Amino acid sequence: MNVFAKVSLDLLNGFSSSVILFIFTLIFALPLGLLIAFCSMSKFAPLRVVSKTIVWVLRGTPLMLQIFVIFYLPGLLNLFVWPSMNTGWEWFDKTISTRLIAALVAFSINYAAYFSEIFRGGIEGIPKGQMEAGEVLGMTKTQIFFNIILMQVVKRIIPPTSNEIITLVKDTSLANVIGVMELIVTAKNFMNDGLLWPLFYSGAFYLIFVGALTLFFNWAEKKLSYYKV
Amino acid sequence: MAFLEVKDIYKSFGKTEVLKGVSFELEEGQVLSIIGSSGNGKTTLLRCLNYLEFADSGTVTLSGKVVSDGKVLKTLKESQIRENRLHFGLVFQSFNLFPQYTALQNVNLALSLMEKERAKKGLAPLYDKPSMEVAKELLIKVGLEDKMQLYPCQLSGGQCQRVAIARAMALKPSVLCFDEPTSALDPELTGEVLRVIKELKESEGITMIIVTHEMGFAKSVSDQVLFMVDGIVEELGTPEEVFDSPKSDKLKAFLQGLNVKEGR
């Protein structure tokens, strides 16, 4: 096998870890973000304070630090230890290392904090008149949220959310600090063989992925352009 | 006993007293216009009738049944408030149409949800035909049969307000309230909205309360005109009494101010 093909395959393998981290972070962080957003808007003051404090801490410290905390703190507190390097679960003939799971936990809560602020802004930005129009028509609060407010919020939050999601693609590289074999670290390991170009080559993987996401978000924005909010 | 009796409505926001004991009566099918300068509590009164604000005290009675009592308002459950507020409809100054729905969907949405809920509870439906049919008929009534499939951003302000009127009528309110329905419109668009309101009075006999700054319209459409100053009813009478032979000095000054503005 020539060198280029071997490097490509290895990088693709590393990239698959990045993509798994990316997809599962979104699956957990988006709903968790909505939950935190509702807590931040709660009429019950203590809940509001707790959720705003959590958001402050998660947005106020580096994600890299949070990854370390999630990975090492349970052991320090004698709760449990994330098992060693090569254990984990088989999934589509790929081993999901427990380190990847630890990174996933850190990514999910960190991104949920950012998403929650986007959602909160989106919901609070809807004119009060929309809610009132629903109320005087005898709709319940739930009916108003799902039939009137939600679609307007979705339209408003697509641009800031897509920004966050694109950042997440590249942030996955931070998982290497606890030994997750993602794309960047795979490329970097080729330096041991005296090869520098795989590192630059790895940029193409991110670019293509982000390019596809950008096309998707453009399509979604266009799809919702039939109304103005 | 009158169809609608509003008695001693008080409402404060913090230390600011906005309504200081507003009372009036209205017969079924009659139109009441509320006039007066901005900031005198006209809109707040309508919002109290529609439960968007809770009156501090006072009662609202409809056909002899108390639908709002300031003393117990804050203890009511959401479901009770929903039931009571359905006696009143409200057309907003800024339309508040739902932007993601077509004109037809705007009118149909709340009605279809309501009919589903009534069916689930075993109640008779509000109409004996599908809600979509009702919505279409209402839009035809306000002269928008060729705009049903358009979105609010594709409609003019006057057309939007007519959709809003159709939407408010869909749930068959006993009293339809208008909060300055033409104030957000360009002058050349106010006519079509006022014409629709007038037609509704003549053809449907809907009981209406209209807060307005259009004096000519108030004079021609109303059975009663209420002049509000500083949260109280300063003068209440027929349009002829109020406009042609005002008694209170404040009303005289208000009407004179308008004439000067209009260059008469």
Side-chain angles (χ1 to χ4, degrees):
Chain A
M1 202 173 2
N2 70 35
V3 180
F4 182 75
K6 186 191 175 325
V7 168
S8 294
L9 273 180
D10 273 17
L11 291 187
L12 206 57
N13 194 31
F15 189 53
S16 69
S17 288
S18 302
V19 172
I20 287 170
L21 190 53
F22 170 81
I23 290 171
F24 282 93
T25 298
L26 285 186
I27 289 175
F28 293 119
L30 286 168
L32 187 59
L34 193 60
L35 186 70
I36 299 175
F38 280 128
C39 292
S40 297
M41 293 184 290
S42 165
K43 283 193 185 118
F44 183 58
L47 188 59
R48 220 164 47 224
V49 171
V50 168
S51 91
K52 290 201 170 190
T53 309
I54 290 173
V55 170
W56 170 58
V57 171
L58 290 173
R59 295 199 306 172
T61 56
L63 177 52
M64 195 191 281
L65 182 60
Q66 289 167 22
I67 297 171
F68 283 132
V69 169
I70 295 292
F71 190 62
Y72 292 115
L73 199 63
L76 278 178
L77 297 177
N78 283 322
L79 295 173
F80 64 91
V81 178
W82 295 97
S84 62
M85 193 84 182
N86 294 317
T87 57
W89 295 279
E90 294 292 327
W91 194 64
F92 286 115
D93 71 282
K94 193 177 161 63
T95 309
I96 308 289
S97 77
T98 51
R99 285 160 189 265
L100 186 68
I101 305 289
L104 177 60
V105 172
F107 274 83
S108 296
I109 57 174
N110 179 273
Y111 270 82
Y114 283 96
F115 286 141
S116 81
E117 283 299 284
I118 292 175
F119 297 159
R120 191 178 62 84
I123 293 170
E124 287 180 345
I126 303 296
K128 220 168 162 249
Q130 292 291 312
M131 184 91 181
E132 291 182 347
E135 282 181 23
V136 297
L137 290 167
M139 295 168 72
T140 64
K141 292 237 158 71
T142 324
Q143 287 174 337
I144 291 172
F145 182 78
F146 285 106
N147 291 285
I148 301 172
I149 307 295
L150 187 62
M151 276 306 278
Q152 298 182 37
V153 173
V154 167
K155 180 171 169 120
R156 273 166 186 254
I157 64 174
I158 285 181
T161 309
S162 60
N163 233 351
E164 230 26 81
I165 289 176
I166 285 170
T167 308
L168 172 61
V169 175
K170 293 158 294 167
D171 271 0
T172 54
S173 61
L174 285 171
N176 79 59
V177 296
I178 54 170
V180 175
M181 294 299 287
E182 47 70 54
L183 178 56
I184 288 279
V185 90
T186 312
K188 205 174 134 212
N189 283 348
F190 281 104
M191 286 167 81
N192 301 335
D193 307 329
L195 296 177
L196 200 57
W197 59 265
L199 203 48
F200 306 136
Y201 179 26
S202 73
F205 287 78
Y206 290 110
L207 270 179
I208 289 167
F209 194 49
V210 168
L213 283 175
T214 306
L215 290 177
F216 169 74
F217 287 120
N218 287 349
W219 171 82
E221 269 185 57
K222 212 170 206 168
K223 202 82 184 136
L224 293 178
S225 65
Y226 66 91
Y227 66 92
K228 294 197 181 82
V229 291
Chain B
M1 184 183 281
F3 177 64
L4 171 70
E5 290 186 358
V6 175
K7 218 168 165 201
D8 287 325
I9 300 284
Y10 282 83
K11 174 70 189 172
S12 304
F13 294 106
K15 283 195 174 131
T16 320
E17 258 196 312
V18 180
L19 298 176
K20 304 169 186 170
V22 174
S23 306
F24 63 86
E25 293 183 355
L26 196 61
E27 292 300 338
E28 190 160 13
Q30 285 204 333
V31 173
L32 170 79
S33 288
I34 304 179
I35 59 171
S37 316
S38 298
N40 279 306
K42 304 188 299 292
T43 295
T44 306
L45 177 61
L46 287 195
R47 289 174 63 86
C48 284
L49 291 177
N50 281 281
Y51 290 86
L52 290 177
E53 309 287 351
F54 288 170
D56 299 329
S57 65
T59 56
V60 178
T61 313
L62 202 67
S63 314
K65 186 180 159 232
V66 178
V67 294
S68 167
D69 184 344
K71 272 176 282 178
V72 298
L73 264 183
K74 279 170 188 129
T75 64
L76 288 182
K77 283 196 220 107
E78 200 197 326
S79 59
Q80 288 168 301
I81 290 172
R82 275 185 65 212
E83 207 179 308
N84 285 347
R85 74 164 20 125
L86 282 173
H87 296 296
F88 295 89
L90 180 61
V91 173
F92 297 86
Q93 180 177 347
S94 50
F95 332 133
N96 293 343
L97 292 184
F98 309 131
Q100 73 268 43
Y101 294 126
T102 61
L104 187 60
Q105 290 168 328
N106 261 279
V107 180
N108 178 56
L109 176 66
L111 179 61
S112 67
L113 288 169
M114 181 63 66
E115 295 284 41
K116 249 181 242 161
E117 190 180 327
R118 289 179 75 92
K120 217 160 134 194
K121 283 186 185 162
L123 295 168
L126 280 176
Y127 296 88
D128 51 11
K129 50 190 148 194
S131 61
M132 214 38 129
E133 287 302 309
V134 177
K136 277 181 192 161
E137 282 169 22
L138 285 166
L139 282 171
I140 291 170
K141 235 172 239 170
V142 296
L144 292 172
E145 54 227 285
D146 52 343
K147 309 279 182 202
M148 290 186 190
Q149 301 302 337
L150 296 186
Y151 291 92
C153 62
Q154 298 169 303
L155 298 172
S156 73
Q159 290 164 343
C160 280
Q161 193 60 299
R162 280 144 70 194
V163 175
I165 291 170
R167 184 176 71 172
M169 289 188 356
L171 288 147
K172 287 188 177 169
S174 309
V175 180
L176 191 50
C177 302
F178 295 80
D179 184 13
E180 303 191 22
T182 58
S183 293
L185 299 178
D186 293 335
E188 74 268 21
L189 298 177
T190 58
E192 59 184 88
V193 172
L194 298 180
R195 211 173 314 122
V196 163
I197 297 174
K198 226 171 187 173
E199 276 166 20
L200 289 181
K201 181 200 173 178
E202 281 153 17
S203 66
E204 310 284 310
I206 301 173
T207 315
M208 299 194 259
I209 300 176
I210 307 172
V211 170
T212 185
H213 293 295
E214 300 277 338
M215 295 306 147
F217 169 70
K219 195 171 175 179
S220 69
V221 80
S222 313
D223 299 289
Q224 286 192 73
V225 177
L226 189 159
F227 175 58
M228 228 166 122
V229 178
D230 205 16
I232 58 164
V233 178
E234 178 77 12
E235 197 158 334
L236 177 61
T238 64
E240 292 75 27
E241 288 168 349
V242 169
F243 288 111
D244 300 336
S245 47
K247 290 187 211 72
S248 92
D249 291 336
K250 281 175 185 163
L251 177 54
K252 281 178 198 164
F254 174 72
L255 292 173
Q256 220 154 36
L258 289 177
N259 287 342
V260 169
K261 239 191 285 170
E262 284 165 22
R264 269 184 240 147

